[in-house]
Amino acid sequence: MLTHQIDPDSLAALPRGAGVYIFRGDSPLPLYIGKSVDIRSRVMSHLRAPDEARMVAQTRRIDFIETAGEMGALLLESRMIKTDNPLFNQRLRRIRSLCSIRLVQSPAGLVPEVVDSKLVNLGTTPALYGLFASPHAAAAKLKALAEQHSLCLSVLGLEKAGQRGCFGVQIKTCLGVCVGQEDRGIHDARLFSALCDSQVEVWPFAGAVDVVETSGTWVQRHRVNNWCYLGTQCSRSLPSSPSPPSPHFGQALALSDAAPREFDLDSYKILVRPIMLKTAVVEPAR
Ligand SMILES: [Zn+2]
Protein backbone atom coordinates (compact mmCIF):
# COMPACT_ATOMS: atom_id res chain seq x y z
CA MET A 1 0.00 0.00 0.00
CA LEU A 2 1.88 3.06 -1.25
CA THR A 3 0.85 6.41 0.12
CA HIS A 4 3.70 8.45 -1.28
CA GLN A 5 3.49 11.60 -3.39
CA ILE A 6 6.60 11.08 -5.43
CA ASP A 7 6.86 12.49 -8.95
CA PRO A 8 6.08 9.41 -11.09
CA ASP A 9 8.44 10.56 -13.85
CA SER A 10 11.34 10.55 -11.40
CA LEU A 11 10.47 6.97 -10.42
CA ALA A 12 10.08 5.84 -14.02
CA ALA A 13 13.53 7.22 -14.87
CA LEU A 14 15.38 5.17 -12.25
CA PRO A 15 17.96 2.93 -13.97
CA ARG A 16 18.90 -0.64 -13.15
CA GLY A 17 22.60 0.18 -13.05
CA ALA A 18 25.06 1.23 -10.31
CA GLY A 19 25.11 4.64 -8.77
CA VAL A 20 23.84 6.99 -6.09
CA TYR A 21 20.21 7.96 -5.55
CA ILE A 22 18.89 11.01 -3.72
CA PHE A 23 15.51 11.26 -2.01
CA ARG A 24 14.36 14.88 -2.18
CA GLY A 25 11.55 16.58 -0.27
CA ASP A 26 10.47 20.20 0.02
CA SER A 27 13.64 21.31 1.82
CA PRO A 28 16.82 22.15 -0.10
CA LEU A 29 18.65 19.51 1.95
CA PRO A 30 18.24 15.99 0.58
CA LEU A 31 16.26 13.58 2.73
CA TYR A 32 18.43 10.59 2.07
CA ILE A 33 21.40 9.54 -0.07
CA GLY A 34 22.18 5.90 -0.82
CA LYS A 35 24.10 3.78 -3.30
CA SER A 36 23.45 0.50 -5.06
CA VAL A 37 24.58 -1.61 -7.97
CA ASP A 38 20.88 -1.60 -8.99
CA ILE A 39 19.43 1.83 -8.27
CA ARG A 40 15.86 0.98 -9.30
CA SER A 41 15.41 -2.13 -7.18
CA ARG A 42 17.11 -0.52 -4.16
CA VAL A 43 14.84 2.53 -4.29
CA MET A 44 11.77 0.31 -4.63
CA SER A 45 12.77 -1.59 -1.52
CA HIS A 46 12.98 1.74 0.36
CA LEU A 47 9.43 2.53 -0.76
CA ARG A 48 8.18 -0.80 0.61
CA ALA A 49 10.04 -0.67 3.94
CA PRO A 50 7.57 0.00 6.79
CA ASP A 51 10.23 1.59 8.99
CA GLU A 52 11.07 4.11 6.26
CA ALA A 53 7.49 5.27 5.73
CA ARG A 54 8.12 8.62 7.41
CA MET A 55 10.95 9.44 5.01
CA VAL A 56 9.01 8.17 1.99
CA ALA A 57 5.99 10.30 2.97
CA GLN A 58 8.18 13.42 2.82
CA THR A 59 9.74 12.49 -0.52
CA ARG A 60 8.69 14.44 -3.62
CA ARG A 61 11.17 13.17 -6.18
CA ILE A 62 14.11 10.82 -6.43
CA ASP A 63 17.22 11.82 -8.39
CA PHE A 64 20.12 9.62 -9.29
CA ILE A 65 23.68 9.74 -10.56
CA GLU A 66 24.85 6.65 -12.39
CA THR A 67 28.37 5.31 -12.01
CA ALA A 68 30.29 2.83 -14.14
CA GLY A 69 30.82 0.50 -11.18
CA GLU A 70 30.35 -0.11 -7.49
CA MET A 71 33.51 1.65 -6.34
CA GLY A 72 32.39 4.88 -7.96
CA ALA A 73 29.02 4.56 -6.24
CA LEU A 74 30.65 4.00 -2.84
CA LEU A 75 33.07 6.92 -3.23
CA LEU A 76 30.39 9.29 -4.47
CA GLU A 77 27.91 8.30 -1.77
CA SER A 78 30.51 8.79 0.95
CA ARG A 79 31.43 12.23 -0.39
CA MET A 80 27.83 13.36 -0.89
CA ILE A 81 26.74 12.31 2.59
CA LYS A 82 29.54 14.47 4.01
CA THR A 83 28.87 17.51 1.86
CA ASP A 84 25.07 17.41 1.46
CA ASN A 85 24.01 16.47 5.02
CA PRO A 86 20.92 14.39 4.24
CA LEU A 87 18.29 14.48 6.99
CA PHE A 88 17.67 10.75 7.26
CA ASN A 89 21.14 9.30 6.84
CA GLN A 90 22.43 8.03 10.11
CA ARG A 91 24.31 10.84 11.77
CA LEU A 92 27.91 9.84 11.75
CA ARG A 93 29.94 11.55 14.37
CA ARG A 94 32.29 13.92 12.65
CA ILE A 95 35.74 12.74 13.52
CA ARG A 96 38.04 15.72 13.39
CA SER A 97 41.21 13.79 13.94
CA LEU A 98 42.07 10.13 14.10
CA CYS A 99 44.56 8.32 16.27
CA SER A 100 46.72 5.34 15.59
CA ILE A 101 49.33 3.28 17.41
CA ARG A 102 52.90 3.64 16.15
CA LEU A 103 55.50 1.04 17.02
CA VAL A 104 58.81 2.75 17.70
CA GLN A 105 62.13 0.89 18.02
CA SER A 106 63.85 2.12 21.19
CA PRO A 107 67.20 0.81 22.49
CA ALA A 108 65.29 -1.38 24.97
CA GLY A 109 62.83 -2.74 22.41
CA LEU A 110 59.56 -1.95 20.66
CA VAL A 111 57.49 0.80 22.24
CA PRO A 112 53.94 1.60 21.14
CA GLU A 113 52.97 5.25 21.12
CA VAL A 114 49.61 6.81 20.36
CA VAL A 115 49.84 9.31 17.51
CA ASP A 116 47.32 11.86 16.23
CA SER A 117 46.49 12.51 12.58
CA LYS A 118 47.01 16.22 13.22
CA LEU A 119 50.71 15.49 13.68
CA VAL A 120 51.30 12.30 11.69
CA ASN A 121 50.07 11.68 8.15
CA LEU A 122 48.29 8.35 8.50
CA GLY A 123 48.52 7.33 4.85
CA THR A 124 52.26 7.83 4.45
CA THR A 125 53.72 6.88 7.84
CA PRO A 126 54.84 3.26 8.22
CA ALA A 127 54.39 1.06 11.30
CA LEU A 128 50.95 2.37 12.26
CA TYR A 129 48.37 0.00 13.71
CA GLY A 130 44.64 0.59 14.09
CA LEU A 131 42.53 3.69 13.50
CA PHE A 132 40.79 5.17 16.52
CA ALA A 133 38.49 8.10 17.17
CA SER A 134 40.41 9.21 20.27
CA PRO A 135 43.67 8.63 22.19
CA HIS A 136 41.53 7.01 24.86
CA ALA A 137 40.23 4.42 22.38
CA ALA A 138 43.77 3.65 21.21
CA ALA A 139 44.94 3.15 24.80
CA ALA A 140 41.94 0.91 25.49
CA LYS A 141 42.94 -1.25 22.51
CA LEU A 142 46.49 -1.58 23.88
CA LYS A 143 45.12 -2.54 27.25
CA ALA A 144 42.87 -5.20 25.72
CA LEU A 145 45.80 -6.60 23.72
CA ALA A 146 47.92 -6.70 26.87
CA GLU A 147 45.32 -8.90 28.53
CA GLN A 148 44.82 -11.16 25.53
CA HIS A 149 48.52 -11.65 24.79
CA SER A 150 50.07 -11.49 28.26
CA LEU A 151 51.91 -8.27 27.47
CA CYS A 152 53.41 -5.88 29.98
CA LEU A 153 51.39 -2.79 30.87
CA SER A 154 54.55 -0.94 31.79
CA VAL A 155 56.35 -1.71 28.52
CA LEU A 156 53.20 -0.63 26.69
CA GLY A 157 53.38 2.70 28.52
CA LEU A 158 50.05 2.17 30.27
CA GLU A 159 51.50 2.27 33.79
CA LYS A 160 54.73 2.97 35.61
CA ALA A 161 56.64 -0.09 36.72
CA GLY A 162 57.62 -0.26 40.38
CA GLN A 163 60.40 -2.44 41.73
CA ARG A 164 58.08 -5.42 41.71
CA GLY A 165 57.18 -4.85 38.07
CA CYS A 166 53.84 -3.89 36.61
CA PHE A 167 50.49 -4.75 38.14
CA GLY A 168 50.18 -7.52 35.53
CA VAL A 169 53.02 -9.44 37.21
CA GLN A 170 51.01 -9.63 40.43
CA ILE A 171 47.86 -10.83 38.73
CA LYS A 172 49.90 -12.96 36.31
CA THR A 173 48.72 -11.29 33.09
CA CYS A 174 52.29 -10.05 32.41
CA LEU A 175 54.84 -12.80 31.85
CA GLY A 176 57.41 -10.66 33.67
CA VAL A 177 59.42 -8.81 31.05
CA CYS A 178 59.42 -5.83 33.43
CA VAL A 179 61.19 -7.85 36.17
CA GLY A 180 63.56 -9.77 33.92
CA GLN A 181 61.51 -12.98 33.88
CA GLU A 182 60.83 -12.83 30.15
CA ASP A 183 63.11 -11.94 27.26
CA ARG A 184 62.23 -8.54 25.81
CA GLY A 185 62.56 -9.82 22.23
CA ILE A 186 60.00 -12.56 22.85
CA HIS A 187 57.63 -10.08 24.48
CA ASP A 188 58.03 -7.68 21.55
CA ALA A 189 57.43 -10.38 18.96
CA ARG A 190 54.13 -11.11 20.70
CA LEU A 191 53.27 -7.39 20.72
CA PHE A 192 54.11 -7.11 17.03
CA SER A 193 52.00 -10.09 15.98
CA ALA A 194 49.10 -8.89 18.16
CA LEU A 195 49.07 -5.58 16.27
CA CYS A 196 49.85 -6.98 12.82
CA ASP A 197 46.27 -7.56 11.71
CA SER A 198 45.35 -3.93 12.26
CA GLN A 199 48.29 -2.44 10.35
CA VAL A 200 47.35 0.74 8.48
CA GLU A 201 48.40 0.28 4.88
CA VAL A 202 50.79 2.94 3.65
CA TRP A 203 49.66 4.49 0.37
CA PRO A 204 51.56 2.24 -2.05
CA PHE A 205 52.10 4.76 -4.85
CA ALA A 206 54.38 7.75 -5.32
CA GLY A 207 51.43 10.09 -5.84
CA ALA A 208 47.92 10.18 -7.26
CA VAL A 209 46.52 7.25 -9.25
CA ASP A 210 43.27 6.61 -11.06
CA VAL A 211 41.09 3.65 -10.10
CA VAL A 212 39.41 2.79 -13.39
CA GLU A 213 35.90 1.34 -13.75
CA THR A 214 34.20 0.59 -17.02
CA SER A 215 30.69 -0.34 -18.08
CA GLY A 216 30.59 -1.13 -21.79
CA THR A 217 32.30 1.79 -23.49
CA TRP A 218 31.78 4.03 -20.49
CA VAL A 219 34.96 4.71 -18.50
CA GLN A 220 35.24 6.39 -15.13
CA ARG A 221 38.58 7.25 -13.55
CA HIS A 222 38.41 7.83 -9.79
CA ARG A 223 41.43 9.87 -8.78
CA VAL A 224 42.86 8.95 -5.39
CA ASN A 225 45.94 10.19 -3.56
CA ASN A 226 47.02 9.02 -0.13
CA TRP A 227 43.71 7.16 0.35
CA CYS A 228 41.85 10.39 -0.32
CA TYR A 229 39.24 10.49 -3.09
CA LEU A 230 39.73 13.59 -5.23
CA GLY A 231 37.05 13.17 -7.87
CA THR A 232 35.97 11.25 -10.92
CA GLN A 233 36.76 11.83 -14.55
CA CYS A 234 34.04 10.48 -16.77
CA SER A 235 34.05 9.55 -20.45
CA ARG A 236 30.42 10.50 -20.85
CA SER A 237 28.63 13.59 -19.67
CA LEU A 238 26.77 13.23 -16.44
CA PRO A 239 24.26 13.13 -15.08
CA SER A 240 22.06 11.13 -17.41
CA SER A 241 19.11 11.80 -15.11
CA PRO A 242 16.87 14.84 -15.46
CA SER A 243 18.17 16.18 -12.14
CA PRO A 244 20.26 19.36 -12.05
CA PRO A 245 23.98 18.87 -12.74
CA SER A 246 25.72 17.40 -9.74
CA PRO A 247 28.61 19.35 -8.23
CA HIS A 248 30.24 16.02 -7.48
CA PHE A 249 31.29 15.21 -11.00
CA GLY A 250 32.90 17.37 -13.59
CA GLN A 251 33.91 20.66 -12.11
CA ALA A 252 34.77 19.12 -8.76
CA LEU A 253 37.80 17.53 -10.35
CA ALA A 254 41.00 19.45 -10.17
CA LEU A 255 42.69 16.45 -11.65
CA SER A 256 46.18 17.88 -11.85
CA ASP A 257 46.33 17.54 -8.10
CA ALA A 258 49.36 15.48 -7.14
CA ALA A 259 50.10 16.88 -3.68
CA PRO A 260 49.71 14.45 -0.78
CA ARG A 261 46.27 14.77 0.75
CA GLU A 262 44.96 14.36 4.20
CA PHE A 263 44.10 10.77 5.00
CA ASP A 264 40.38 10.07 4.62
CA LEU A 265 38.98 7.22 6.68
CA ASP A 266 35.90 6.57 4.51
CA SER A 267 37.88 6.43 1.28
CA TYR A 268 40.48 4.27 3.01
CA LYS A 269 37.82 1.74 4.03
CA ILE A 270 36.39 1.64 0.51
CA LEU A 271 39.72 1.40 -1.30
CA VAL A 272 42.17 -0.46 0.91
CA ARG A 273 41.17 -4.01 -0.04
CA PRO A 274 40.70 -3.53 -3.80
CA ILE A 275 43.99 -1.64 -4.03
CA MET A 276 46.14 -3.83 -1.76
CA LEU A 277 44.70 -7.08 -3.18
CA LYS A 278 45.10 -5.63 -6.67
CA THR A 279 41.51 -6.45 -7.64
CA ALA A 280 41.00 -2.82 -8.70
CA VAL A 281 42.27 -1.54 -12.05
CA VAL A 282 44.79 1.15 -11.15
CA GLU A 283 46.52 3.39 -13.67
CA PRO A 284 48.86 6.35 -13.26
CA ALA A 285 46.94 9.62 -12.98
CA ARG A 286 46.99 11.48 -16.28
ZN1 LIG B 1 55.04 -6.18 33.29
Side-chain angles (χ1 to χ4, degrees), residues 152-154 165-166 169 174 176-178:
C152 176
L153 294 172
S154 151
C166 72
V169 172
C174 169
V177 66
C178 50

Side-chain angles (χ1 to χ4, degrees), residues 12-13 15 29 33 42 54 58 61 69 90 105-106 128 134 140 152 170 175 181 185 197 216 220 226 257-258 283:
L29 282 183
I33 292 173
R42 185 68 192 97
R54 202 163 70 89
Q58 292 179 42
R61 61 176 290 112
Q90 206 184 356
Q105 186 71 54
S106 79
L128 296 181
S134 67
C152 176
Q170 294 173 47
L175 297 184
Q181 285 170 12
D197 283 347
Q220 284 194 321
N226 192 25
D257 198 334
E283 293 178 4

Side-chain angles (χ1 to χ4, degrees), residues 150-156 159 161 164-170 173-179 182 187:
S150 307
L151 299 166
C152 176
L153 294 172
S154 151
V155 164
L156 298 192
E159 68 163 67
R164 289 155 55 203
C166 72
F167 179 63
V169 172
Q170 294 173 47
T173 56
C174 169
L175 297 184
V177 66
C178 50
V179 287
E182 187 189 30
H187 172 276

Side-chain angles (χ1 to χ4, degrees), residues 92-238:
L92 299 172
R93 193 158 67 92
R94 286 244 169 212
I95 298 175
R96 284 197 183 76
S97 70
L98 283 168
C99 289
S100 187
I101 296 167
R102 177 162 63 182
L103 275 184
V104 181
Q105 186 71 54
S106 79
L110 285 180
V111 179
E113 62 179 39
V114 175
V115 295
D116 192 293
S117 63
K118 285 192 213 108
L119 302 171
V120 168
N121 190 325
L122 299 182
T124 56
T125 307
L128 296 181
Y129 302 87
L131 294 164
F132 307 94
S134 67
H136 180 77
K141 173 71 175 178
L142 280 175
K143 203 164 177 196
L145 288 177
E147 278 172 25
Q148 286 161 26
H149 300 273
S150 307
L151 299 166
C152 176
L153 294 172
S154 151
V155 164
L156 298 192
L158 297 170
E159 68 163 67
K160 284 212 164 64
Q163 289 196 331
R164 289 155 55 203
C166 72
F167 179 63
V169 172
Q170 294 173 47
I171 59 168
K172 301 207 162 34
T173 56
C174 169
L175 297 184
V177 66
C178 50
V179 287
Q181 285 170 12
E182 187 189 30
D183 179 77
R184 179 66 187 261
I186 293 173
H187 172 276
D188 289 356
R190 216 160 53 244
L191 168 62
F192 180 72
S193 74
L195 283 170
C196 240
D197 283 347
S198 50
Q199 178 159 14
V200 180
E201 298 290 351
V202 172
W203 179 242
F205 308 104
V209 296
D210 288 344
V211 176
V212 183
E213 283 187 309
T214 53
S215 170
T217 57
W218 182 20
V219 182
Q220 284 194 321
R221 305 174 67 89
H222 312 300
R223 182 140 311 169
V224 186
N225 194 0
N226 192 25
W227 303 118
C228 181
Y229 170 51
L230 303 177
T232 293
Q233 195 178 50
C234 196
S235 71
R236 83 182 195 203
S237 57
L238 277 174

Side-chain angles (χ1 to χ4, degrees), residues 20-24 27-33 63 65 76-89 91 94 245-248:
V20 168
Y21 51 87
I22 306 113
F23 280 63
R24 295 193 191 280
S27 138
L29 282 183
L31 295 170
Y32 184 81
I33 292 173
D63 294 332
I65 302 170
L76 184 60
E77 180 204 32
S78 147
R79 168 179 288 196
M80 287 179 71
I81 289 175
K82 276 191 215 145
T83 55
D84 294 6
N85 259 323
L87 296 166
F88 283 88
N89 285 79
R91 293 280 159 192
R94 286 244 169 212
S246 160
H248 301 286

